[in-house]
Amino acid sequence: MMRTRPLKVALLGCGVVGSEVARIMTTHADDLTARIGAPVELAGVAVRRPDKVRAGIDPALITTDATALVKRGDIDVIVEVIGGIEPARTLITTAFEHGASVVSANKALLAQDGAALHKAAEDHGEDLYYEAAVAGAIPLIRPLRESLAGDKVNRVLGIVNGTTNFILDKMDSSGAGYQEALDEATALGYAEADPTADVEGFDAAAKAAILAGIAFHTRVRLDDVYREGMTEVTAADFASAREMGCTIKLLAICERAADGESVTARVHPAMIPLSHPLASVREAYNAVFVESEAAGRLMFYGPGAGGAPTASAVLGDLVAVCRNKLAGATGPGESAYTRLPVSPMGEVVTRYHISLDVADKPGVLAQVATVFAEHGVSIDTVRQQGKDGEASLVVVTHRASDAALTGVVEALRKLDTVRGVASIMRVEGE
């Protein structure tokens, strides 16, 4: 039986995503009512600039007092799309205290304080949903949290930042340098005026923390995630990757240790074989591989950002939370029962591609090989090119720990015949 009294929704933030949420709530009102079992009503919109024209939104709903809005007591669901740590954190916890569930797209806050927010939601019998916090429109949080709840996830590997993927794709396809590709991304609106959060991996690291926590049923904070940006990737790195039948992507990688006793979470550029499905992910798209024991390998692909795609994820959560409100129930909360420790980057094992500038004379290769052997790192392939007394030496290793590779590099830099370490890149996806 359809309920006639509407569920009241308050929107915190009305920028690119928030305005799309409001638009869809209005234009799809009848469909949302049918899917939820009750009408939904936009009851207030908190903004910083009240004088800005917002098409399709009743000016009477606009307020600059977000705190008063979440304290009203008659709001059923708060949609938080303002981002950042504060005031979002305080507004969300205040919403729980006043009987509202929360739908959020705030990856930074969830990566930093997700455990505390989940506890606040549980203490007050409310929902906290955040599909839009990772990979835009791509359904990923709910499959991990619900569809795979009976399975054991061992690895999550993916491209979770569209800006960096656009830049690296342009460098690969056109031969452009980093700055040239960044300039194009900025001109097309894919990169912010200050792209630091994207290109230095902060955005992807926050998403990796969220994904690892859900996938492995343990608490992973942003500080637990190893992070390395992609600003040092060069055209020469792409040339080397092509010679190996690879390309380069900025990857978020979350793994359960082979013994099942710990997990790792990391973000960094990596070479991946052209045969891997992630290699064909172009422009600003996202894609994530999930590897589990029973389901095997699953791939999720689609637009990872933008107003409409992100709003789609927000509205999906809104429908679920409203249904829970009508049923007098809540959806799944935090699952952190495994309490697995997060291992440091030094214990991570993978393959490496190392490019060295060396003297072009007999015995250099033997010296370099000896250094690798002394640190227990096995060499897979070596390629050397020399001219006029100088040479480049490219070494690809078998799987080795990050700590062992660090020892190799420190020892190589002490050799008189090694002029410098041109680049080091991990090789993933095999």
Side-chain angles (χ1 to χ4, degrees):
M1 182 176 178
M2 183 72 67
R3 176 176 126 167
T4 57
R5 184 175 70 80
L7 290 156
K8 292 188 177 183
V9 178
L11 185 60
L12 306 184
C14 197
V16 173
V17 176
S19 59
E20 276 295 307
V21 170
R23 182 190 66 80
I24 295 171
M25 284 184 65
T26 301
T27 58
H28 295 180
D30 291 343
D31 287 334
L32 291 173
T33 297
R35 294 166 190 174
I36 292 169
V40 288
E41 172 190 323
L42 186 59
V45 181
V47 299
R48 287 184 298 175
R49 293 178 292 171
D51 297 332
K52 181 179 178 181
V53 176
R54 295 173 172 86
I57 298 178
D58 183 352
L61 297 178
I62 302 296
T63 179
T64 57
D65 194 343
T67 301
L69 182 58
V70 300
K71 285 184 174 180
R72 272 177 41 173
D74 65 335
I75 301 297
D76 295 291
V77 184
I78 297 290
V79 174
E80 183 271 310
V81 287
I82 57 177
I85 305 302
E86 287 291 357
R89 173 170 49 198
T90 299
L91 291 170
I92 289 173
T93 54
T94 301
F96 293 143
E97 292 166 1
H98 287 78
S101 289
V102 174
V103 173
S104 176
N106 196 331
K107 53 188 170 287
L109 178 58
L110 289 159
Q112 179 173 306
D113 289 319
L117 294 177
H118 273 293
K119 185 177 186 307
E122 182 181 359
D123 288 346
H124 294 283
E126 301 296 340
D127 272 323
L128 174 62
Y129 276 51
Y130 43 90
E131 185 68 65
V134 180
I138 304 172
L140 187 58
I141 299 296
R142 199 166 301 160
L144 283 172
R145 196 157 73 162
E146 299 179 30
S147 303
L148 295 174
D151 206 342
K152 182 180 181 181
V153 175
N154 291 317
R155 194 172 195 231
V156 180
L157 166 76
I159 299 162
V160 295
N161 183 277
T163 299
T164 55
N165 198 59
F166 180 90
I167 293 169
L168 292 172
D169 181 45
K170 288 301 175 185
M171 292 177 70
D172 187 22
S173 61
S174 68
Y178 166 75
Q179 189 60 51
E180 183 183 350
L182 172 59
D183 290 344
E184 183 176 353
T186 304
L188 292 172
Y190 293 124
E192 301 287 344
D194 180 0
T196 303
D198 294 321
V199 300
E200 294 295 351
F202 291 100
D203 175 86
K207 295 170 181 176
I210 295 169
L211 290 174
I214 296 171
F216 306 133
H217 302 277
T218 195
R219 287 179 178 170
V220 180
R221 288 171 50 90
L222 180 59
D223 292 345
D224 296 322
V225 181
Y226 172 83
R227 177 193 55 80
E228 187 179 313
M230 42 76 72
T231 58
E232 301 300 317
V233 176
T234 66
D237 291 325
F238 274 102
S240 293
R242 281 191 288 273
E243 290 178 358
M244 289 179 58
C246 293
T247 188
I248 299 171
K249 299 291 185 182
L250 185 77
L251 298 179
I253 305 170
C254 311
E255 294 178 303
R256 190 191 298 267
D259 62 6
E261 297 301 313
S262 64
V263 299
T264 60
R266 51 196 165 103
V267 169
H268 54 72
M271 294 182 180
I272 58 172
L274 293 175
S275 58
H276 194 284
L278 290 178
S280 62
V281 178
R282 308 296 302 274
E283 301 207 331
Y285 276 74
N286 285 191
V288 178
F289 252 83
V290 176
E291 300 176 11
S292 66
E293 288 194 354
R297 303 177 77 193
L298 308 172
M299 182 172 175
F300 301 83
Y301 169 84
T310 306
S312 171
V314 169
L315 266 296
D317 278 350
L318 180 62
V319 169
V321 169
C322 286
R323 287 171 174 168
N324 291 343
K325 280 280 184 180
L326 291 179
T330 55
E334 183 190 33
S335 175
Y337 72 92
T338 63
R339 295 182 175 85
L340 296 174
V342 182
S343 297
M345 187 63 186
E347 297 179 13
V348 170
V349 176
T350 189
R351 297 177 66 206
Y352 290 87
H353 175 283
I354 304 101
S355 180
L356 305 172
D357 296 324
V358 300
D360 186 16
K361 61 182 185 180
V364 173
L365 180 57
Q367 285 184 317
V368 169
T370 297
V371 168
F372 278 85
E374 288 174 347
H375 289 81
V377 179
S378 175
I379 294 175
D380 183 15
T381 62
V382 177
R383 186 175 71 256
Q384 183 174 5
Q385 294 178 322
K387 184 179 180 181
D388 299 328
E390 298 296 328
S392 63
L393 190 66
V394 176
V395 178
V396 179
T397 73
H398 289 291
R399 291 175 64 83
S401 72
D402 189 82
L405 201 281
T406 298
V408 167
V409 172
E410 289 175 353
L412 288 173
R413 287 186 168 128
K414 295 177 182 178
L415 294 178
D416 292 338
T417 52
V418 175
R419 310 297 193 215
V421 180
S423 69
I424 303 170
M425 191 164 294
R426 297 167 184 86
V427 182
E428 301 283 351
E430 295 181 295

